Amino acid sequence: MEEHRFDLRKLREETDLVFLLSKLGFEPLKKSGGELFYLSMLRDNDTSPSFCVNEKLGIWYDHGLAKGGSIIDFALAYWPGLHFGQAMERLADISGSLEGLPEKAKPAQIEIPLKHPSYLIREVKETGSNPAVSAYLEQRGISAVSGPYLKEIYYSIKKDNGKRMELFAAGWQNNLGGWEVRNSRFKGCLGKKSMTFLEGNRDSLNIFEGMMDFLSWKLEHPNGDASILILNSVAFLKPAIHFAADYAAIEVFFDHDPSGRKASTEFLKVLPGTIDRSEIYKGYNDYNEKIQQGISGKQLQPDQQQSSFLKGKGR
């Protein structure tokens, strides 16, 4: 077999992820801002678009796996049976950027990128000083209760060309110290992905898929004192069930989409005393959608009720 040499920087910079996915037979089902949403090609059980591609940054994130990265990371995840060099050869071949060696054979060489974070957190501030973040929280309908739970996160991401893009968002920390960041155009995690636990009453536990849903509940239940567990991704369903087993009273507030209904069913199966509270926002995909609808005063059509969580949702 002919050996090839690859410049990983060139592969990252010149290979368009959306184009690659199209060549592989995958097309987006939804688009929100600069993000495209696909049924995950990395899992067999995805029933709603949960594989997200940020076109501007050239990165992807699979919310079911709580995993993402560059096009190089995608190639390794999509072809797990290939070793690194083979996966890069497949990527280059499909993208049309495969370059062979000169006639005089040289040893196979692969440029391996340095292992360092692509992000830097510049500053963490209390909410209220950035008009764009404040407007986002107002749009989500939870600004009145967000103060104790959210921060303004100022950070930068290193792009493939080496330049840094300065960004800001609303954010909160998870149990491993990572920052979950959200704004009207992007949602992601800086650092390790994990759940977020807020200690309260040690006998009762309320569980939410995302922070915005918890804050929606807090808005309507300001005196609620239950302990709170926020999944930040349904990929943490099993550890959440294990964590919840120590509580006498458990209430879940999951989405009305297939993954949310499956999560509710699993909780009720493993912990039969669990109470499903999703009837509170019946007719909406999630709790925060109900709150947003109350602010806008406009009636969503049925198809919008099922899909609007993709439109700048940012859990």
Side-chain angles (χ1 to χ4, degrees), residues 12-26:
R12 288 195 301 269
E13 293 181 356
E14 298 186 6
T15 307
D16 183 84
L17 181 54
V18 174
F19 173 76
L20 175 69
L21 292 173
S22 181
K23 293 274 284 185
L24 291 171
F26 305 109

Side-chain angles (χ1 to χ4, degrees), residues 35-203:
E35 296 181 338
L36 300 174
F37 292 83
Y38 299 73
L39 289 176
S40 177
M41 63 294 301
L42 302 181
R43 294 177 285 118
D44 296 328
N45 61 347
D46 197 8
T47 56
S48 62
S50 61
F51 182 93
C52 174
V53 174
N54 187 296
E55 292 182 282
K56 190 173 184 179
L57 298 178
I59 58 177
W60 61 276
Y61 189 81
D62 190 316
H63 291 274
L65 294 175
K67 178 180 180 181
S70 69
I71 196 167
I72 302 297
D73 301 306
F74 173 79
L76 297 175
Y78 187 70
W79 295 298
L82 303 181
H83 64 61
F84 189 91
Q86 291 173 327
M88 295 307 99
E89 182 175 347
R90 183 75 61 85
L91 172 61
D93 190 26
I94 293 175
S95 67
S97 61
L98 182 64
E99 294 183 0
L101 292 171
E103 289 186 2
K104 185 177 181 180
K106 295 181 180 179
Q109 180 180 354
I110 296 175
E111 178 189 346
I112 300 178
L114 295 175
K115 300 295 183 181
H116 60 80
S118 63
Y119 68 90
L120 289 174
I121 296 178
R122 305 291 195 186
E123 189 176 7
V124 176
K125 300 171 64 175
E126 298 297 324
T127 56
S129 63
N130 188 308
V133 173
S134 297
Y136 170 66
L137 299 179
E138 288 284 352
Q139 178 258 319
R140 299 305 295 265
I142 46 77
S143 60
V145 294
S146 63
Y149 307 101
L150 300 184
K151 304 292 184 183
E152 291 176 1
I153 313 300
Y154 296 83
Y155 62 101
S156 68
I157 293 179
K158 187 175 183 181
K159 301 176 67 176
D160 289 336
N161 61 10
K163 296 182 179 179
R164 303 201 73 87
M165 178 182 293
E166 300 296 328
L167 302 166
F168 56 81
W172 64 93
Q173 276 192 300
N174 61 42
N175 291 350
L176 294 180
W179 284 97
E180 305 287 336
V181 291
R182 304 289 187 272
N183 61 38
S184 60
R185 292 180 175 269
F186 179 73
K187 57 182 176 180
C189 179
L190 306 178
K192 293 183 179 180
K193 189 80 174 177
S194 181
M195 300 182 290
T196 298
F197 175 66
L198 305 174
E199 187 172 3
N201 189 317
R202 296 189 178 185
D203 292 325

Side-chain angles (χ1 to χ4, degrees), residues 64 66 180 193-195 231-241:
E180 305 287 336
K193 189 80 174 177
S194 181
M195 300 182 290
L231 299 187
N232 293 321
S233 169
V234 292
F236 296 112
L237 179 61
K238 289 185 177 179
I241 292 174

